[in-house]
Amino acid sequence: MKKLSIKLYLVFYCTMIGLATSCITPYEPDVEWINDLLVVEGAIIAPYGTIIHINRTNEGSSSFYDPNLTNKKAVVTLISDKGTTIATAQNTTGSSYMITDSISFKPGEKYAIHFLINGKEYQSDFVEPQITPEIDEVNYQYKELEEVDIRVSTHNDDPDASRYYRWTYKEDWEIVSEYFAQYTWSYENGIQKLNQFSPENVHYCWASKTSNRILLSKSDNFSENKIKDHTILSLGAADSRFSYLYSISIQQQALDRKAYEYLENMRKNVEQTGGIFAPQPTEIKGNIPA
């Protein structure tokens, strides 16, 4: 931008003087923060693993831990459209609630999350469970001297099955020190020389990382409900994670269309904002009526 401005200034000197005060105007919107809005996020995953997070909005950040939820616990239950309570979530840490009981969904029924907090009741829309197919293959593509793409493939032969998918992953890799430690220190023995073959001479360890991006794909524009070689993660070919042992575990989840659109909107708000030509952030609405 600086080079372009200087060039225009030199060629169109007179014109730029006239435009300088009229074309560039600072925009300072008067934003009024709306605090203390309840934020609920989570997914119902059978048979185990359902976690519901309850927070509140705060100026300057998207959410924060609400101390009132410690003193006045929320009552979070999974219910069906037949009026049956399926399970009750237990408070684990802070504002997180987990269903630890095994969940079994029945064909033809829809399910929702109902919760009571501070004397007020909230409930999500009833939704039909989506059956997640197995992952067909996890592979990688090596682009010499550039990057390594880790990819996933899946399909579903059921014509009525969901065509919307989400993935999360967990990486583990080995870190090995270039040198063995020669000495150790303790309160009892002070400084002691170590044998390089001593079990106390730990020169390697393991590191791990979980996905922090919203990874989505869909097959609704294809004749077959198939996802082929969808890139989950791209790493530089010289990334230190590949120095020794590396492992990645990928979890797949089928979504209905509304859930996919909600997450896709969230992804765009997070990843595609900040530039001058980026799309404007949009309001994200979930399936819990206000």
Side-chain angles (χ1 to χ4, degrees):
M1 291 300 292
K2 290 183 178 179
K3 292 183 179 179
L4 179 60
S5 299
I6 293 174
K7 182 178 180 180
L8 290 175
Y9 180 81
L10 292 174
V11 177
F12 301 105
Y13 180 85
C14 296
T15 304
M16 289 300 293
I17 292 297
L19 295 176
T21 58
S22 59
C23 290
I24 302 176
T25 304
Y27 176 62
E28 299 178 357
D30 184 14
V31 178
E32 180 181 355
W33 284 94
I34 302 176
N35 295 325
D36 207 35
L37 295 179
L38 195 64
V39 178
V40 180
E41 56 182 341
I44 306 169
I45 303 175
Y48 301 101
T50 298
I51 301 178
I52 307 297
H53 301 282
I54 303 176
N55 294 283
R56 291 188 182 276
T57 58
N58 182 30
E59 182 174 346
S61 65
S62 59
S63 64
F64 74 105
Y65 165 62
D66 184 359
N68 291 329
L69 297 179
T70 300
N71 301 324
K72 300 178 181 179
K73 304 289 188 183
V75 179
V76 182
T77 55
L78 172 64
I79 61 175
S80 76
D81 59 353
K82 305 300 182 184
T84 305
T85 298
I86 308 301
T88 300
Q90 306 298 320
N91 181 251
T92 53
T93 56
S95 57
S96 298
Y97 293 78
M98 177 182 293
I99 294 179
T100 57
D101 298 333
S102 178
I103 304 171
S104 179
F105 295 133
K106 297 181 180 179
E109 290 191 9
K110 296 183 178 182
Y111 300 86
I113 289 291
H114 176 278
F115 57 100
L116 174 68
I117 177 172
N118 295 340
K120 296 182 179 180
E121 291 188 71
Y122 304 87
Q123 182 177 304
S124 68
D125 295 336
F126 284 101
V127 296
E128 184 177 355
Q130 302 295 322
I131 299 177
T132 299
E134 294 184 358
I135 293 176
D136 292 336
E137 182 185 24
V138 175
N139 60 49
Y140 68 91
Q141 181 183 38
Y142 173 62
K143 301 176 184 178
E144 189 173 0
L145 303 180
E146 293 183 13
E147 63 182 20
V148 177
D149 293 338
I150 298 174
R151 311 182 300 182
V152 63
S153 298
T154 189
H155 79 284
N156 199 327
D157 295 327
D158 184 352
D160 298 323
S162 170
R163 288 176 170 263
Y164 305 93
Y165 300 90
R166 180 186 186 183
W167 295 274
T168 58
Y169 63 80
K170 180 179 180 294
E171 299 174 274
D172 294 283
W173 64 94
E174 186 181 26
I175 300 175
V176 179
S177 173
E178 185 176 355
Y179 302 101
F180 285 92
Q182 297 183 7
Y183 299 91
T184 184
W185 178 88
S186 66
Y187 283 106
E188 295 80 11
N189 303 317
I191 298 176
Q192 298 288 323
K193 186 174 179 61
L194 279 177
N195 184 311
Q196 67 175 359
F197 301 108
S198 168
E200 296 180 357
N201 195 339
V202 178
H203 66 286
Y204 70 92
C205 61
W206 291 88
S208 62
K209 182 180 180 181
T210 57
S211 53
N212 57 6
R213 297 173 54 231
I214 300 176
L215 304 170
L216 305 169
S217 188
K218 59 181 180 177
S219 63
D220 59 346
N221 293 326
F222 304 141
S223 58
E224 294 182 287
N225 189 354
K226 178 184 294 187
I227 302 294
K228 180 66 175 177
D229 293 334
H230 178 73
T231 299
I232 294 294
L233 178 65
S234 295
L235 298 172
D239 194 291
S240 60
R241 278 171 279 191
F242 296 140
S243 299
Y244 296 95
L245 298 178
Y246 176 85
S247 172
I248 184 169
S249 174
I250 300 175
Q251 293 79 42
Q252 180 171 280
Q253 181 183 357
L255 306 170
D256 62 20
R257 181 179 60 82
K258 289 185 178 180
Y260 174 86
E261 291 174 349
Y262 171 83
L263 291 170
E264 175 65 6
N265 194 13
M266 182 182 294
R267 184 191 67 80
K268 290 180 179 179
N269 276 358
V270 172
E271 297 182 4
Q272 299 182 13
T273 57
I276 188 172
F277 298 111
Q280 294 297 311
T282 58
E283 183 179 4
I284 300 176
K285 293 185 177 180
N287 63 350
I288 298 179

